[in-house]
Amino acid sequence: MNNTIQYSVDADGIATLMIDLPGKSMNVLCAELISDLSECIDKVTTDDQVKGAVLASGKSAFVAGADLTELVTAFDRGVTAEQGYQWSWQLTGVFRKMETCGKPFAVAINGLALGGGFELCLACHYRVMSDHPKAVLGLPEVSIGLMPGAGGTQRLPRLIGVEKALPVILQGKKLSPKKALELGVVHEIAPVEELLHRAKTWLKGTPHVQAPWDVKGFKFPGGAGANTPRNAQTFMVGTSLLAANTQHNYPAPIGAISAVYEGCITPIDTGLDIESQYFGQLVSAVTARNMMRSLFVNKGAADKLARRPEGIEKSRVTKLGILGAGMMGAGIAYVSARAGIQVVLLDTDIESAERGKAYSENLFKKAIKRGYSTQEKARALLNMIHTTTEYADLEACELVIEAVFESREIKAVVTAKTEAVIPENAIFASNTSTLPITGLAEASKRPQGFIGLHFFSPVDKMPLVELIVGKKSSDEAIARGLDYIQQIRKTPIVVNDSPGFYTSRVFSTSTNEGMTMLAEGINPALIENAAKMAGLPVGPLAVMDEVTLELGYRITMQTASDLGDDYTMASGFPVIRKFVEELDRKGKRYGKGFYDYPEGEKKHLWSGLVELYPLLDEQPSAQEVIDRLLYCQALETARCFEEGVMDYAADADVGSIFGWGFPPWTGGTLSFIDTVGIKHFVAECDRMAAAYGPRFAVSDWLRQRAAAGESFYQVGTAEI
Ligand code: NAI
């Protein structure tokens, strides 16, 4: 035994298997636990004194899922589909042994049970679940590129039918205790302190020792297989929705739905075998590696502040100042108040400040409507936002975030006014989207306390905050900025100062490429649709309309004047200039841009585009358009890495997925290079540089890296 389960038997002959991984805050299905579980099942089975057993957890949650640290490196270790199959089949074997051992197993689900943790519960004969709202059941594997591999795709449909099981398996829908009871996924819900007692009461009664699907004459709820009318419709709609939503970029949901489809017309053991085979194929392939690494491991590390400088005391913001109550200031006020922080929201006139606060009021109203908040809670949080025009009100703020107009002069004035009243050791952060932090910090008397906190719009929805380190920013300022990001439950990346920082700089290459292709005569519908096929959230032309061409125009003019002779005009800028200066089609906010926005109708590409930019007789393939859109972003990221804008591949990847929606199947911009292979990547960039222009030119640094076959991540590790 490895000490992961405490085994005891009470006077009534009921064994308790208390799962409690030593030294861990959560139980995960690691190799040691699986082995201990197998031994405990054997003990229960062979000990005549033991009538049955209850599984329980010594932690506040039940079991969080499989131990991903092993799975995430499978691809890099060269694990084959057969080995992946064996991994799943071994776990399935242990669960199946428990299910068919002839003695009853109950489970006391005291908190969340996800992935393999939930699958373990499904293999028990009786399930009692805590009624606490934090206790949820779910199969989130698909969202990180995997699929259930311990019976989830077989037992859940057999328990509640295909139609109700698919959203849990494919969309990772979590089940609350109430919902789990309603669906028949658990037998009882009870206060957490009664769980063991209830489970034991069942065991001492006349418990069944077979799962429903092992009982002769078992009827599949809603019918088995695809030919029953309900299932036929479910599979038909399900597969077409999957294809539309994933564009075949994601093998995991396809594997999962295939396992359900094929496994449901076979006996359970064959079904489990089918599931393990699909699991093996997934875990040995690169998409699962990419997604597990970036969406789970590296995002998790970022959330735990992996980049926080050491030796600095943990801090909390109790009073936050926000300068500028416009779109960004209002959003930052909302997420901060929601985290229980007192907010002073300052603008030039009280009406603007109030308008900023009203934004929060609206969002709180929506939260109440959806049942996420109550009147009292929302009122209390709203009362945390104090609107003002007086700088004196910023007194005692530990952190002030500036979100006034994007003008160096205005930002300099508000910095000085703020520093006159805030404590000496307060942190001043700018939310500028384009102006280098080091330059803005020149207006500060204490540049060591000056950082960038770059939020994304809409602030309440976007999960990332880019922390920008100026030349003089101190470690303490970085640490406290990161603490604040964690406090408001966002994901941070740390980036060194550079024009456009990381996210804006890289993201703008794809909108630029989209506009360049338009000017070349590539069909705008092809550009937009290819972007969606690649898995980008929206096409580059639609994005430009959203952020407004006018903003692109202003930023370019500003950068051109800042850089003077050093400025190289972006290939897509002539398009922006034409739309802003000549056509007055400045973007969605103005009712027209690359798209038309007719009232009450869906937007559509402006018909004048093809007159302006006549279509090439020979159009490129969709794949070529996709490659141009993805390669330009990956290449720009490599340049950022080379220049030291960021120090870790993980930050680049997490930032690209959570900052602007770079396709998650790629694992992020640098994982994309590793996925296609750095040599192939460089060769393709060379080809594109020759065909489309020097923006695809590869630096010597990258070429040497490619020649040496050096990937951005060290092979076999989750992080670098
Ligand atoms: P906005 O125009 O919606 O709001 C700016 C607010 O600042 C207005 O309410 C204005 O009255 C106020 N303001 C102007 N001068 C002021 C002063 N001297 N003192 C106090 N308040 C003053 O602008 P938005 O979009 O909220 O942007 C604010 C900052 O955030 C800019 O630096 C922008 O570049 C940056 N940013 C914007 C993003 C976006 O998607 N809009 C994304 C990330 C950063």
Side-chain angles (χ1 to χ4, degrees):
M1 290 281 286
N2 303 296
N3 261 340
T4 62
I5 300 178
Q6 289 145 29
Y7 183 87
S8 59
V9 182
D10 69 11
D12 296 315
I14 305 296
T16 300
L17 279 60
M18 186 66 73
I19 305 173
D20 198 353
L21 263 63
K24 298 251 173 167
S25 58
M26 278 266 188
N27 290 324
V28 286
L29 275 172
C30 55
E32 292 79 10
L33 174 57
I34 297 165
S35 152
D36 286 355
L37 181 63
S38 181
E39 273 190 51
C40 288
I41 296 166
D42 292 341
K43 267 199 212 172
V44 171
T45 314
T46 51
D47 187 344
D48 291 343
Q49 304 301 312
V50 175
K51 293 196 188 97
V54 53
L55 292 180
S57 159
K59 314 274 189 214
S60 59
F62 182 66
V63 177
D67 183 2
L68 288 180
T69 48
E70 195 181 327
L71 295 179
V72 72
T73 55
F75 175 80
D76 294 324
R77 285 183 284 122
V79 165
T80 62
E82 172 60 25
Q83 288 165 327
Y85 162 81
Q86 288 300 343
W87 188 92
S88 157
W89 189 238
Q90 187 213 355
L91 184 56
T92 291
V94 175
F95 288 7
R96 188 69 179 136
K97 178 167 77 174
M98 178 176 76
E99 192 173 50
T100 56
C101 72
K103 291 209 175 152
F105 274 78
V107 58
I109 311 167
N110 62 322
L112 69 81
L114 298 178
F118 180 29
E119 292 175 287
L120 173 59
C121 300
L122 288 172
C124 292
H125 303 101
Y126 195 75
R127 290 170 285 278
V128 196
M129 183 181 184
S130 159
D131 58 8
H132 194 278
K134 278 200 173 157
V136 286
L137 303 176
L139 296 170
E141 289 92 337
V142 161
S143 62
I144 51 164
L146 275 182
M147 60 175 273
T153 65
Q154 302 305 307
R155 291 194 178 90
L156 194 62
R158 281 170 172 79
L159 201 57
I160 62 176
V162 169
E163 193 184 1
K164 289 178 186 151
L166 278 185
V168 182
I169 295 167
L170 296 180
Q171 294 157 28
K173 283 233 157 88
K174 300 227 169 83
L175 303 175
S176 65
K178 195 166 148 247
K179 189 74 189 166
L181 185 68
E182 201 178 288
L183 285 173
V185 172
V186 296
H187 299 85
E188 293 187 63
I189 55 175
V192 71
E193 58 280 2
E194 284 180 33
L195 296 181
L196 268 180
H197 172 70
R198 300 265 189 121
K200 286 188 176 185
T201 305
W202 177 78
L203 287 165
K204 283 186 237 162
T206 48
H208 54 266
V209 293
Q210 278 186 308
W213 35 92
D214 287 322
V215 177
K216 201 159 185 258
F218 166 67
K219 285 222 159 42
F220 209 112
N227 288 336
T228 57
R230 271 210 106 91
N231 288 354
Q233 210 184 355
T234 304
F235 280 120
M236 223 156 24
V237 176
T239 43
S240 39
L241 271 181
L242 258 192
N245 293 340
T246 67
Q247 300 287 328
H248 293 268
N249 290 319
Y250 296 87
I254 297 173
I257 199 171
S258 305
V260 175
Y261 186 94
E262 293 168 34
C264 286
I265 43 170
T266 66
I268 181 85
D269 287 303
T270 313
L272 292 170
D273 187 75
I274 290 169
E275 180 190 83
S276 290
Q277 295 197 30
Y278 278 111
F279 182 90
Q281 285 171 23
L282 279 181
V283 82
S284 56
V286 72
T287 310
R289 189 277 313 259
N290 285 345
M291 291 177 73
M292 276 188 277
R293 185 166 71 184
S294 293
L295 303 182
F296 189 83
V297 180
N298 288 337
K299 171 161 187 303
D303 289 339
K304 290 194 185 119
L305 309 188
R307 308 285 173 248
R308 191 179 189 277
E310 281 172 13
I312 290 150
E313 208 181 313
K314 186 88 186 150
S315 67
R316 278 186 80 74
V317 175
T318 58
K319 188 177 173 193
L320 170 77
I322 299 175
L323 312 178
M327 185 161 96
M328 299 306 288
I332 299 166
Y334 171 74
V335 296
S336 303
R338 198 177 54 179
I341 300 172
Q342 290 283 352
V343 175
V344 179
L345 187 56
L346 181 147
D347 210 299
T348 43
D349 56 84
I350 199 72
E351 291 75 26
S352 302
E354 283 295 333
R355 224 175 300 125
K357 182 172 174 177
Y359 179 79
S360 287
E361 196 167 359
N362 262 333
L363 288 179
F364 281 130
K365 270 190 199 147
K366 277 191 197 155
I368 296 170
K369 228 175 168 179
R370 295 198 189 122
Y372 297 144
S373 192
T374 60
Q375 287 283 2
E376 301 73 56
K377 250 200 222 160
R379 178 66 32 211
L381 291 179
L382 195 63
N383 283 341
M384 312 220 37
I385 304 176
H386 168 71
T387 54
T388 189
T389 56
E390 300 295 327
Y391 280 79
D393 290 345
L394 297 171
E395 197 201 350
C397 283
E398 297 103 345
L399 171 69
V400 173
I401 300 174
E402 166 281 298
V404 300
F405 295 139
E406 188 74 338
S407 141
R408 267 197 197 96
E409 294 69 32
I410 299 178
K411 287 187 191 294
V413 171
V414 301
T415 306
K417 281 188 182 171
T418 303
E419 286 186 350
V421 288
I422 57 174
E424 194 61 35
N425 66 345
I427 306 298
F428 189 98
S430 174
N431 180 47
T432 177
S433 39
T434 52
L435 304 168
I437 290 299
T438 307
L440 291 180
E442 281 169 14
S444 165
K445 277 198 235 131
R446 2 170 158 139
Q448 71 281 5
F450 198 108
I451 53 171
L453 285 180
H454 182 211
F455 286 79
F456 297 78
S457 171
V459 178
D460 54 296
K461 294 218 175 80
M462 298 299 284
L464 194 81
V465 179
E466 196 175 22
L467 189 153
I468 295 120
V469 182
K471 274 218 173 68
K472 296 189 177 160
S473 310
S474 67
D475 278 0
E476 184 184 341
I478 301 167
R480 284 171 57 190
L482 287 171
D483 290 342
Y484 164 71
I485 298 171
Q486 189 181 51
Q487 210 180 333
I488 57 169
R489 295 185 286 276
K490 300 264 179 209
T491 299
I493 56 166
V494 177
V495 168
N496 292 316
D497 203 8
S498 130
F501 315 125
Y502 164 56
T503 52
S504 308
R505 170 172 165 184
V506 174
F507 177 60
S508 66
T509 61
S510 76
T511 48
N512 179 64
E513 201 56 34
M515 292 184 291
T516 308
M517 287 194 271
L518 175 71
E520 284 171 14
I522 295 176
N523 193 326
L526 174 58
I527 299 170
E528 296 293 85
N529 286 329
K532 286 190 223 148
M533 284 166 71
L536 292 162
V538 262
L541 304 177
V543 172
M544 278 311 293
D545 267 10
E546 290 285 336
V547 299
T548 77
L549 286 108
E550 189 203 23
L551 182 66
Y553 181 78
R554 268 200 287 124
I555 292 175
T556 309
M557 296 311 251
Q558 171 82 51
T559 317
S561 95
D562 286 353
L563 296 181
D565 290 346
D566 291 339
Y567 179 68
T568 319
M569 189 186 285
S571 55
F573 185 66
V575 176
I576 298 190
R577 186 156 58 197
K578 189 179 263 311
F579 272 67
V580 172
E581 287 181 0
E582 294 173 29
L583 300 168
D584 192 29
R585 297 187 68 93
K586 290 192 273 196
K588 185 177 173 188
R589 192 190 291 178
Y590 302 94
K592 52 189 178 173
F594 293 124
Y595 283 78
D596 272 331
Y597 300 87
E599 282 241 1
E601 284 175 46
K602 265 179 98 171
K603 70 174 181 187
H604 55 78
L605 281 161
W606 175 45
S607 55
L609 286 179
V610 285
E611 282 158 40
L612 217 52
Y613 303 109
L615 295 183
L616 289 173
D617 289 341
E618 204 173 315
Q619 291 287 314
S621 66
Q623 189 58 51
E624 180 68 2
V625 178
I626 291 172
D627 285 349
R628 286 179 68 171
L629 291 172
L630 299 185
Y631 273 72
C632 64
Q633 297 181 67
L635 180 58
E636 196 64 28
T637 305
R639 288 183 189 129
C640 288
F641 203 73
E642 177 182 354
E643 291 166 26
V645 175
M646 80 269 297
D647 301 323
Y648 298 91
D651 286 10
D653 278 349
V654 168
S656 66
I657 295 174
F658 294 98
W660 72 88
F662 194 77
W665 61 266
T666 62
T669 41
L670 288 185
S671 281
F672 175 77
I673 301 181
D674 284 358
T675 300
V676 298
I678 191 161
K679 284 189 179 146
H680 176 76
F681 181 80
V682 165
E684 274 294 278
C685 287
D686 285 344
R687 179 185 70 76
M688 289 188 201
Y692 308 122
R695 63 191 176 283
F696 283 101
V698 167
S699 69
D700 290 344
W701 175 84
L702 190 62
R703 200 173 294 287
Q704 279 159 17
R705 229 183 145 98
E710 235 182 297
S711 63
F712 281 93
Y713 285 84
Q714 284 160 14
V715 170
T717 61
E719 273 191 86
I720 58 164

